[in-house]
Each structure stands twice: as structure tokens, then as C-alpha cells.
Amino acid sequence: MKKVVVVDHEFITGDNSVNPAENETLHIELSLKKNRRFFSIGTLNGILSAKTIFSRLKLTEEQLTRHTGIYCAQFGYLHPNFDDLLGKIDTQSLNGKDGLFNTIWHSNKINPFLITLSLSNNLLGLVSQELGMKSDCAAFLRGNTGLLAALREAQLSLSCNKVDYALVIASGIMGKISSDQQKIEFGFSLMLKRENAQENYPHLPDYNELLNYYQNEVDCKNNFSFVRKLISVC
């Protein structure tokens, strides 16, 4: 398999109480602002991380839309959660799944935007619409295992010349979330390409090395540990 290099990367975090974009992303505008209502914080951060990379690389429209593949990994099923379902009802006071089901079934306070919120799980669709990308694509769930699969798919597509660039995006909930913690959602993007002897970019570890690290060193309770490994080699 041909060597793959990391051209650029970007990592953004945010939470539900503050502006999710860090200061350096405030100049990045969304192309399809009407889609903003479908974004979770993580989805927005993922898109902003990708657009920040593109603003630095200055790819042509043809390179971006026709020759760049998208490979997405979603960390966690972001919506709906109990608070989305029941709005202001105190779900922590409910005892057991039977009580929760009955409360939801008989409640007249269910969020009317429940279906809209569930669209935030469609990371690939929202990213490709926002960026106007029409090349090879793939979407994966299951957090770190999904990210590992996305990286593998990107490497294969580059090696067989299916794409010239591969954008790997991961977004979702970072770390272990307990009932008394506010969830933190992140966006992480890697831009990959085939190695060129005339350029000096860091190599992406091959699949076997990434798999070995995941199997032996990743903390399953901390979604960010595998992402941190990738950032360290960029």
C-alpha cells in the first residue's frame, strides 16, 4: 500500500453553554445556513474544522468537490436524548426504564423538533452538503472503531487512486460522560494525500500500527485517547 501523509489537521471543542467555535474559526462562514438547525455542537465543530483546513490549503473547487473523498466517524448517538424527548421534565427523578417509557408515552411536552434533532446524526450528509463534495465517501459509527475504519477506507481510496485527497472527519461526544457532567462535543479533521518525494509532510501511521495502538493502549472510557494519538503524529 502506498504511503499516506497528513497534509493538515484541525481540532475544535465546544459545549452547549458557550460559542462552540474557537476564536480562530469565527471568520469561517457556513455555506448553507439553513442547515444550522440540524447541527449538534459536534457536527458544527467537525464542519468548522474541515473548513478551517480548506481555508489554509487553498484547494481549487475542482480539487475539493471532485477529487477529495470524505470519510466520517461519529462518536456517540447525539440526539435524541432524554432531555430532547421531554424538554423541561426532570428525567433524573424517573425510576427505571418502565417509568421513563410511560412518561414519554403519555407526555404532551415532547419536543416537536425531535425528528429535526435526530438529523444531527447524519454527519456525512451534512458535511457533504455544506462543502459541496461529490467524490468518494463513507460513514462510520462506534467512536474510535469507526475512526479506525474511516482511516482505513481513506488509505485504501488514496492507494488505488480513487481520490487525490482524503478528508477524515470525526465528531461527537468527547470523553466519559456522567450524569453530573456537561457533555463536551468535538470536531476533528485530517486531510490526507499520497506521499510525494518533493514534499515534507508527516506520515500517517499504517493501519496495523493504528490497530495495535487501539487494541493495546486506547482507554475505552475516553473517546479522545485515540484522537490524541493521531494529533501527536501530525
Side-chain angles (χ1 to χ4, degrees), residues 169-181:
I169 300 182
S171 76
I173 300 172
M174 179 175 65
K176 183 180 180 181
I177 305 300
S178 64
S179 59
D180 59 347
Q181 290 178 318

Side-chain angles (χ1 to χ4, degrees), residues 114-179:
L114 182 61
I115 295 177
T116 301
L117 286 170
S118 70
L119 291 174
S120 67
N121 296 288
N122 184 17
L123 178 62
L124 175 61
L126 293 171
V127 169
S128 61
Q129 272 201 325
E130 174 63 27
L131 301 177
M133 300 170 76
K134 302 176 182 178
S135 186
D136 188 50
C137 61
F140 303 91
L141 296 173
R142 297 298 296 273
N144 286 321
T145 54
L147 178 54
L148 186 64
L151 290 165
R152 175 66 167 173
E153 192 71 19
Q155 288 177 318
L156 289 172
S157 295
L158 287 167
S159 295
C160 66
N161 298 315
K162 185 181 292 186
V163 295
D164 293 331
Y165 294 89
L167 175 66
V168 178
I169 300 182
S171 76
I173 300 172
M174 179 175 65
K176 183 180 180 181
I177 305 300
S178 64
S179 59

